[in-house]
Amino acid sequence: SLAFIKMLQEFDEKLDTMTLDDLQNLQTEHIYKKIHASHVNILAKNQQGVKSIYELVTLSHTKYLTYSDKAEGKEAGVKTAEARIVRSEIAARRENILVGSSCYNSDLFELARNRSQKELEDAMSFYDYIEVQPLGNYIRIVDERSTFTQKRLQEVVENVIYTAKRLGKTVVATGDSHYIDPEEKLLRDIYIHATRIGGARHPLYDRSHTKEAPDQHLKTTEEMLEEFSFLPEELAYEIVVTNTNRIAAQCERMYPLMEELKTPSIEGCEEKLAKEIYDTAYSIYGNPLPEIVEARIEKELGSVTKHGFSVQYYIAHLLVKRSRENGYVVGSRGSVGSSFIATMANITEVNPLDPHYICPKCKHSEFFTHGEYPSGFDLPEKKCPQCGTVMRGDGHSIPFETFLGFKGDKVPDIDLNFSGEYQAQAQAQIKEVFGDGYVFAAGTVATASDKTAYGYVKKYCEENNITFNKQKMDYLGHLCEGVKRTTGQHPGGIVVCPKEYEIHDFTPVQYPANNPDSEWMTTHFAIKDIHDNILKLDILGHVDPTAMKMLRDQSGIDPVTVPINDKETMSLFSSTEALHLLNPEQPYPDATGAAGLPEFGTPFIRGILEMTRPTTFAELVSLAGLTHGTDVWLNNAKDLIDAGICTLKEVIGCRDDIMVYLIQKGLPPVDAFNIMEIVRKGKWLKQTKEKQNEMIALMKEHDVPDWYIGSCTKIKYMFPKAHAVAYVMMCIRIAWYKVHMPQYYYSVFFSCRCDAYEIETMAGGIEAVYNRMTDIKTRSESKDRAISSTVTNKEESLYSALEVVYEMYRRGYSITNIDINRSHATQFTVDPDDSHKIIPPFTAMDGLGEAVGISIMKARDEQPFISKQDLSQRTQLSGTHIQKLEEMGCLKGMQDTNQLSLF
């Protein structure tokens, strides 16, 4: 009352005429964010009701999203988001939903405990059914308030029941269950004690650790009847059994997701796609097309058109086309390269046909359909028998079935790697095509990892003075895995809603991680759960397209024009000869020249290269598959090669190889496909013994060797061949520059692929680089854990960069110091006066960011710097930056101030 009187003093002049209603109407439209929220339960009566619920979920996570400071300790002050909805939004959608009064956090239970009977009765009018729960669910109220006894609790519940019945409301006994079995209560208790992201604690968390959480397992009918045994038997049966079935009968059987894929439409896209495909095919293979080409196009295009997938292909075609027009190539990933019409639509460069020659002049072609060559890039040079022009090779024997399934009805997943610099533009283009209100980012759901879950268990034990043995701790940690922690945004996934639908026909939408400043709205459901219901496009960001553009811009040579079958370039993967090292008699730490090459530059894969010495494109594809799979190389192919049982050319490298090989052995295509699917997903051992024996017998019947069958049984996951081919093509193009235009290769490598810099060492000469590498390696390999632990994550990343710097010095190239007058803000550049020198950017210096670097470039373009004072005044360089530049010798000859000295 004193607070109310104090508030009235704000209205001295109007107080004589002001009513309580006037005061009430002074509240802002956001008052719902400040009041205590209550719970409701909403059920969908039909499919339209599902959509209504999705709309409410969206509103609660966007328009009505509320932030509050519920953090404690070191997290205090961090705002946590809470999804809320106002009563009027629910009321506007009553036709297809049922509203229940929910648990002890409902407004009804609060009114029943503390307010008048009339207020309780008035509030009940809002609900379609009234919920009551076992008395144990309300136990915290009894624990927290000494005046609120168990007897008083029973009276309140009874009053709610009899009041509702008197008003003609259906009363339902609900469990508010949070887990299935009673023994899982411990897991819920662990999560109640866990600290949420942002530092907030669970509403049931008790600092004193003296109050127990209610028992909320999924109770049986008998258990629920026992919970309400304080009521007359007939009434207990009515609310536990009769009325629950009555509510259920009002809800149709439905599925929360669409039953099939619904794709948007682009007018005339089927015709436009077909024209693009055939025009490209004619330009390469001539008109009429070779029979093998025509048959593949008809097969694929028929499946795509029949199942309504044309729009996926066509929008991908438009995105790639626009990106190329802007100077950025696009890489493909996944199995899209298995589709020849995707190649002809210029979505991917991977050609999945059997290896073949093509004459670029007269269009003559020759195909090898019996496994003579695994890759068209490995075909020996040959002149066209019709016109004498040197033919080019292409084709990698990749079956279409690995992309769209054996029947061609699998939802296509077209994953594209755009330059990270262009990714946002590509995503914006989708909004241009389909409309802003129909395009959303794909949502993700982050769950508790094994380490996080184990931490929750440990914290629970510490706070409650409980001791479990290690086995019990590990077991509880495992059971606590997989619980939702937060939401996020897929790095490149974009979903498109057809214009004849609304997004709420598929999913609610929200801000990623409830951040209202996000540029995109995301699907509330994780994209993996609605992947087969709504069109998803993967517009991913990747460094390779950026590197390719930089190579073209700096060298003047387009990477897509360099030969894939260049012998010197291919030799990098088996020797260092093409590096033309200075002083070759001196020891060199690597047996190959693959350091710094994408996908093949890690120490692990370079070790495999040293062991296998690949000399063909097909072998590199096989290695890409082997090193990206699970139980494909280690404990499998490696052992077979070590034992001399087979060679790198023979082992199973990619998933598609299985189907192609088995068909070549004579197995029916459907059986070859099914075996491939079982093996690539690691499901061999999950088959029945009868099924395993059946597959083994079928393969042996067609002379498949025992080692091959044994290899199949060990595999857990296999890489798609189309993905491997795309990776290797990109790698070889970049490797070509390493061999033939090293200065641009190194400049781009350090600009795009270097995660750590130590410019003083990198510019300090070959001995400084070698000594720093030796120091890091010696410490990391030390058996003394205290010494090995001194190697930081930055040093580990730095070592990889120094390997390339060392190689560069051994080839006669070097890195200069940062140059105030010539360094770029963010990119390494080739010295225009000496092509064997690379000038580092300003951002190579620790603590100097892009904006500061840009400010230096902008200022020096306006006029040269005359002093350190001038440098400081006209740029964003701090005193610390300038001091560091002085220590590095970057400001030699520059006077301190603008004042000229006469002496």
Side-chain angles (χ1 to χ4, degrees), residues 587-785:
Y588 188 70
D590 268 333
T592 72
L597 293 180
E599 305 302 326
F600 290 91
T602 66
F604 172 69
I605 298 181
R606 276 153 46 202
I608 297 175
L609 291 175
E610 184 177 351
M611 170 185 168
T612 56
R613 305 284 177 160
T615 58
T616 66
F617 185 91
E619 288 177 316
L620 290 179
V621 170
S622 182
L623 281 175
L626 289 166
T627 53
H628 283 83
T630 305
D631 288 349
V632 183
W633 171 251
L634 296 176
N635 302 315
N636 201 335
K638 180 181 184 299
D639 297 340
L640 294 171
I641 294 173
D642 285 344
I645 297 173
C646 56
T647 66
L648 177 61
K649 295 179 180 179
E650 297 170 312
V651 296
I652 307 172
C654 301
R655 63 179 66 164
D656 318 67
D657 294 335
I658 298 174
M659 182 175 177
V660 172
Y661 175 80
L662 294 180
I663 290 175
Q664 290 173 353
K665 281 291 188 178
L667 271 74
V670 65
D671 292 315
F673 174 81
N674 289 334
I675 291 174
M676 175 191 69
E677 288 293 285
I678 288 170
V679 172
R680 79 173 182 88
K681 296 176 181 177
K683 293 185 176 181
W684 183 284
L685 297 179
K686 295 180 181 179
Q687 307 300 307
T688 63
K689 200 67 179 175
E690 181 181 359
K691 177 65 176 177
Q692 292 179 33
N693 292 335
E694 180 185 317
M695 291 188 291
I696 292 172
L698 181 62
M699 287 194 280
K700 284 190 172 183
E701 181 184 330
H702 292 84
D703 300 321
V704 176
D706 290 340
W707 69 261
Y708 192 98
I709 298 172
S711 183
C712 287
T713 66
K714 298 176 181 178
I715 290 168
K716 298 293 188 300
Y717 165 76
M718 296 203 76
F719 205 53
K721 187 174 184 179
H723 200 159
V725 171
Y727 272 173
V728 176
M729 287 178 69
M730 191 76 75
C731 175
I732 286 181
R733 283 172 173 161
I734 291 171
W736 183 90
Y737 287 87
K738 184 173 187 178
V739 172
H740 299 286
M741 307 187 84
Q743 67 272 38
Y744 300 116
Y745 164 77
Y746 291 119
S747 171
V748 171
F749 172 84
F750 292 121
S751 295
C752 291
R753 303 183 189 278
C754 196
D755 294 326
Y757 303 108
E758 195 170 86
I759 202 64
E760 300 94 329
T761 301
M762 295 167 74
I766 191 169
E767 287 190 13
V769 172
Y770 181 80
N771 292 338
R772 185 70 166 112
M773 289 173 63
T774 302
D775 167 57
I776 295 172
K777 186 175 182 180
T778 300
R779 285 186 288 125
S780 66
E781 294 179 351
S782 172
K783 294 181 180 180
D784 186 336
R785 193 168 181 179

Side-chain angles (χ1 to χ4, degrees), residues 228-241:
F228 289 94
S229 59
F230 61 88
L231 298 174
E233 184 176 342
E234 184 178 334
L235 178 57
Y237 187 87
E238 177 187 335
I239 67 173
V240 171
V241 180

Side-chain angles (χ1 to χ4, degrees), residues 86-104:
V86 295
R87 192 179 295 257
S88 59
E89 296 287 3
I90 299 174
R93 295 167 175 79
R94 293 303 291 261
E95 183 179 353
N96 300 293
I97 61 174
L98 295 173
V99 182
S101 62
S102 190
C103 59
Y104 87 94

Side-chain angles (χ1 to χ4, degrees), residues 285-326:
Y285 296 99
N287 189 1
L289 295 171
E291 182 179 348
I292 192 170
V293 176
E294 179 78 36
R296 181 76 175 243
I297 290 177
E298 289 184 355
K299 174 184 178 181
E300 293 192 20
L301 198 52
S303 291
V304 167
T305 303
K306 175 183 177 182
H307 297 289
F309 300 147
S310 297
V311 70
Q312 285 99 313
Y313 276 79
Y314 191 63
I315 186 61
H317 159 73
L318 292 178
L319 291 167
V320 174
K321 181 181 179 182
R322 177 81 67 88
S323 180
R324 288 176 175 172
E325 289 171 350
N326 281 276

